[in-house]
């Protein structure tokens, strides 16, 4: 029975590597934005250490549940190694997102949000399934969720603005990540599947590359997501710039004649 199964802090499974990455990266984004909102001396370093400690403990606890249930052998070792690599990747990305969004310039923070956009959407999808049930999630919510990475990236680019090398890099990297990340997450999910792991590391790499290439070869909906994010960034950035100019003019002292 499900109630009798051991409790785990992370959903370690060959079916959920993208969910694990999404959960870990979402924590990094939340911590980074919180630190940026409430800055202070040593806050970012403390948040980074706390996040690393929390996620490491969660991963160790999850593996303490997973490993005893595996049959000894090469297949089990490869399976666990693939999940360890998944967790390490997620923890590293979470630290990178936190560092970029916490106290860097706006263009670097925008890159951090763009890096986290697709993993956050993956985790939100899992949360919806846990809330409504796997087959009971309303269709409109799935439709909205599919566009969450583009919305997050577009808002981040609007906040970043344009002009200068840093902002140009944020735009280029942000839109490139929006195009690549869904395909990369699909590749990871396919590569760590048990039937792939059983065929060895070479098969895992081949499966990852093939699945990623297949996803990238399909222009829709990736191109639409990139177009939406770019549109939001342009319109939002222009709006912020206009409002900023009006605010600066209103703040200027009026000369009396």
């Amino acid at each position: 029975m499900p109630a009798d199964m051991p409790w785990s802090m992370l959903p370690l499974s060959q079916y959920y590597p993208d969910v694990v990455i999404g959960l870990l990266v979402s924590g990094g984004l939340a911590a980074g934005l919180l630190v940026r909102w409430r800055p202070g001396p040593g806050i970012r370093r403390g948040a980074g250490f706390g996040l690393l400690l929390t996620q490491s403990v969660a991963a160790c606890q999850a593996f303490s549940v997973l490993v005893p249930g595996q049959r000894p052998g090469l297949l089990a070792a490869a399976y666990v190694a693939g999940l360890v690599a998944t967790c390490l990747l997620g923890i590293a990305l979470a630290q990178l997102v936190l560092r970029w969004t916490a106290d860097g310039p706006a263009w670097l923070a925008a890159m951090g949000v763009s890096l986290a956009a697709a993993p956050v959407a993956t985790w939100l999808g899992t949360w919806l399934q846990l809330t409504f049930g796997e087959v009971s999630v309303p269709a409109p919510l799935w439709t909205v969720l599919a566009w969450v990475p583009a919305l997050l990236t577009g808002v981040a680019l609007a906040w970043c603005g344009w002009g200068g090398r840093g902002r140009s890099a944020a735009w280029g990297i942000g839109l490139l990540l929006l195009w690549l990340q869904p395909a990369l997450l699909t590749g990871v999910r396919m590569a760590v599947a048990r039937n792939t792991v059983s065929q060895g590391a070479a098969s895992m790499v081949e499966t990852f590359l093939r699945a990623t290439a297949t996803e990238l070869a399909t222009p829709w909906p990736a191109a639409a997501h990139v177009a939406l994010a770019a549109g939001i960034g342009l319109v939002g950035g222009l709006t912020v710039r206009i409002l900023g100019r009006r605010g600066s003019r209103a703040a200027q002292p009026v000369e009396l004649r």
Side-chain angles (χ1 to χ4, degrees):
M1 297 295 292
D4 299 326
M5 297 180 67
W7 179 77
S8 175
M9 297 179 71
L10 287 178
L12 295 181
S13 169
Q14 73 270 28
Y15 302 110
Y16 304 121
D18 51 342
V19 175
V20 172
I21 293 175
L23 174 59
L24 296 172
V25 173
S26 296
L29 179 62
L33 294 177
L34 183 61
V35 171
R36 194 175 190 91
W37 178 54
R38 302 286 291 183
I43 295 295
R44 199 265 300 164
R45 182 173 298 179
F49 177 76
L51 180 69
L52 178 62
L53 179 62
T54 301
Q55 294 185 340
S56 298
V57 169
C60 290
Q61 188 276 336
F63 279 106
S64 72
V65 173
L66 174 72
V67 173
Q70 303 297 310
R71 294 181 179 178
L74 184 60
L75 175 59
Y79 174 67
V80 172
L83 293 177
V84 168
T86 299
C87 288
L88 291 177
L89 175 61
I91 291 173
L93 289 176
Q95 289 292 318
L96 185 61
V97 168
L98 187 152
R99 176 180 291 272
W100 283 358
T101 56
D103 54 7
W107 62 268
L108 192 58
M111 287 174 55
V113 175
S114 299
L115 179 60
V120 166
T122 300
W123 170 239
L124 286 177
T126 303
W127 180 81
L128 287 176
Q129 290 180 329
L130 294 174
T131 302
F132 294 96
E134 291 190 12
V135 296
S136 302
V137 179
L141 287 181
W142 282 125
T143 302
V144 172
L145 184 66
W147 296 91
V148 164
L151 295 173
L152 289 177
T153 302
V155 171
L157 295 178
W159 172 35
C160 167
W162 56 83
R165 294 182 179 179
R167 290 183 171 87
S168 298
W171 274 78
I173 293 175
L175 295 177
L176 182 62
L177 287 172
L178 182 61
W179 183 284
L180 293 178
Q181 276 189 316
L184 293 174
L185 289 174
T186 299
V188 170
R189 185 170 61 250
M190 299 294 291
V192 300
R194 184 176 286 271
N195 58 343
T196 306
V197 172
S198 63
Q199 300 176 25
S203 178
M204 294 175 65
V205 174
E206 181 183 356
T207 300
F208 170 78
L209 295 176
R210 184 173 62 251
T212 302
T214 301
E215 289 292 318
L216 292 176
T218 306
W220 180 269
H225 290 174
V226 171
L228 176 62
I232 293 174
L234 289 172
V235 174
L238 182 61
T239 302
V240 170
R241 179 169 294 190
I242 292 174
L243 293 177
R245 288 178 178 176
R246 289 182 178 179
S248 61
R249 290 176 182 175
Q252 292 179 356
V254 178
E255 182 180 355
L256 299 178
R257 296 183 179 179

